[in-house]
Amino acid sequence: MKIPFKNLSFIFSISLIVLALPLYSYAKDEVIEREKNILIIKDPYKDFGSEDYGGDNEHEVVGVSLQTIRDLIKKGKPIHFAKGQYGEIRTIKSEWILGVLDNETDIKAIDIDNAIITGNLDFCIASKLVDIEECDIREDAKKHLRLYEVEKTYLISPSIKLSNCRIEGNILAGYNEDILSNVMLNCKFDNSIVLGTVNLSRSYIRGYSSFDSAAFKNDVDFSYAYFDKWAIFRNANFYGKTDFGVVQFSSGTNFINSKFNNSVSFFGSNFIDDVYFDRANFGKTANFYLAKFHSENVDLLPKN
């Protein structure tokens, strides 16, 4: 059978396009890698809190390369992407963050703002596993963890601050029953969207933790966790099943104007200090059975 020359030309053209696509993708990545065309805020905390502070528009924006971004992460420097850039420019792989945590020595924080983070954030990093008795935490915290069979912990020393981010994978910092371990970390995810599941079951959350205005698109598990200080979930939006059962809230708790679109449980949780649920929206069942409230300032008025 003879194939017309015109058809052969068409087939040949399609083949060239298919072959060129990987080259185009690679070339585009190379441009992002080499060129200083990623815009970040040079000093995001400059003049913060002063009367003339006007947000991002008041800060100097500089262009950097992807390699510079990775170097800044390694050094524990803040990376706040300037607004108005398309997603690919603002993408950070979770492995870059976890690699730094695996090898870090003296960095104080992972501080990223306005990024798209791909891959799972799995904080169960083997090199950080220590005995719970070696940790400098309150005795009542150790008692709580031992009660729920936590003997070891993955101690994440730098604070984790991922604000205004889109986290496309899962957040994994939950209990490992095989080695009786949890994760100990300090975290803030203000205004971030988490597409995957969140597992912080039996975790020890150090210091002031904040999930202000965060959106959890999948199931969330904080069961048996221990919050060392204030836990802020104000304006948070929970789309999947949410479990705060048997949690120790050692300081204040703020769920003002939060929204639970699915079932939520606070079964057996212990609220030591002030509790605020005013204007919270419970779309389905909310279980507070056997929860204990120790403060006179308890506001559980739901949204009408």
Side-chain angles (χ1 to χ4, degrees):
M1 182 181 66
K2 294 183 177 179
I3 301 176
F5 179 75
K6 184 185 295 184
N7 291 348
L8 283 172
S9 300
F10 175 77
I11 294 170
F12 182 68
S13 300
I14 292 295
S15 300
L16 286 176
I17 292 172
V18 171
L19 288 171
L21 283 175
L23 295 175
Y24 169 75
S25 178
Y26 176 78
K28 187 167 58 173
D29 290 343
E30 281 292 296
V31 169
I32 295 174
E33 178 74 41
R34 293 177 180 176
E35 298 297 327
K36 295 183 177 181
N37 59 355
I38 306 174
L39 301 180
I40 63 171
I41 299 169
K42 184 177 180 180
D43 188 355
Y45 296 110
K46 182 181 180 181
D47 299 328
F48 183 75
S50 64
E51 293 183 0
D52 59 349
Y53 176 74
D56 293 352
N57 293 332
E58 297 292 326
H59 289 94
E60 181 182 355
V61 173
V62 295
V64 297
S65 68
L66 187 60
Q67 185 57 51
T68 300
I69 295 291
R70 299 184 68 172
D71 291 341
L72 289 173
I73 295 175
K74 291 178 182 178
K75 294 175 182 177
K77 302 296 184 182
I79 301 170
H80 291 202
F81 290 98
K83 295 177 180 178
Q85 300 178 91
Y86 64 89
E88 190 171 6
I89 285 288
R90 299 181 290 112
T91 297
I92 288 178
K93 296 180 180 180
S94 60
E95 62 195 59
W96 301 350
I97 298 171
L98 299 175
V100 172
L101 295 177
D102 191 11
N103 298 298
E104 61 85 19
T105 53
D106 58 356
I107 68 169
K108 297 186 181 301
I110 298 291
D111 182 354
I112 299 173
D113 186 276
N114 192 30
I116 294 175
I117 299 174
T118 60
N120 295 332
L121 285 168
D122 187 348
F123 294 105
C124 300
I125 300 171
S127 64
K128 301 303 171 185
L129 189 63
V130 298
D131 193 280
I132 200 73
E133 297 299 329
E134 299 176 15
C135 299
D136 185 19
I137 59 176
R138 299 198 309 243
E139 189 56 39
D140 70 304
K142 290 182 181 180
K143 182 179 178 180
H144 174 88
L145 296 174
R146 286 195 298 262
L147 179 62
Y148 299 111
E149 300 182 321
V150 175
E151 297 181 0
K152 297 180 181 295
T153 188
Y154 295 98
L155 179 58
I156 307 300
S157 297
S159 62
I160 309 298
K161 183 179 180 183
L162 306 177
S163 304
N164 300 296
C165 292
R166 177 185 174 92
I167 301 168
E168 297 189 338
N170 304 316
I171 297 177
L172 305 172
Y175 183 66
N176 184 332
E177 62 182 11
D178 293 331
I179 57 175
L180 305 179
S181 67
N182 74 344
V183 173
M184 188 178 296
L185 77 168
N186 171 263
C187 54
K188 296 178 177 64
F189 291 86
D190 294 342
N191 294 295
S192 287
I193 299 172
V194 184
L195 300 186
T197 59
V198 175
N199 184 359
L200 285 106
S201 63
R202 307 195 203 193
S203 60
Y204 180 94
I205 302 176
R206 303 189 330 268
Y208 175 94
S209 59
S210 182
F211 302 82
D212 196 325
S213 302
F216 302 96
K217 295 291 187 177
N218 218 309
D219 294 349
V220 172
D221 185 1
F222 280 93
S223 61
Y224 302 94
Y226 187 102
F227 284 86
D228 180 49
K229 296 193 181 299
W230 268 90
I232 306 296
F233 289 88
R234 180 179 53 196
N235 299 311
N237 206 334
F238 300 86
Y239 289 87
K241 293 180 180 179
T242 304
D243 192 351
F244 282 95
V246 200
V247 169
Q248 172 86 356
F249 293 100
S250 297
S251 189
T253 311
N254 187 338
F255 282 91
I256 292 175
N257 208 39
S258 56
K259 185 175 182 180
F260 300 92
N261 296 275
N262 211 311
S263 61
V264 59
S265 175
F266 289 90
F267 171 86
S269 286
N270 201 15
F271 297 87
I272 300 298
D273 211 331
D274 299 348
V275 181
Y276 300 100
F277 277 92
D278 47 319
R279 298 190 304 280
N281 190 325
F282 298 98
K284 291 189 177 180
T285 59
N287 183 0
F288 284 87
Y289 183 63
L290 295 182
K292 297 177 182 178
F293 300 90
H294 299 270
S295 173
E296 295 181 358
N297 295 322
V298 177
D299 191 341
L300 294 175
L301 292 176
K303 197 175 205 178
N304 294 329

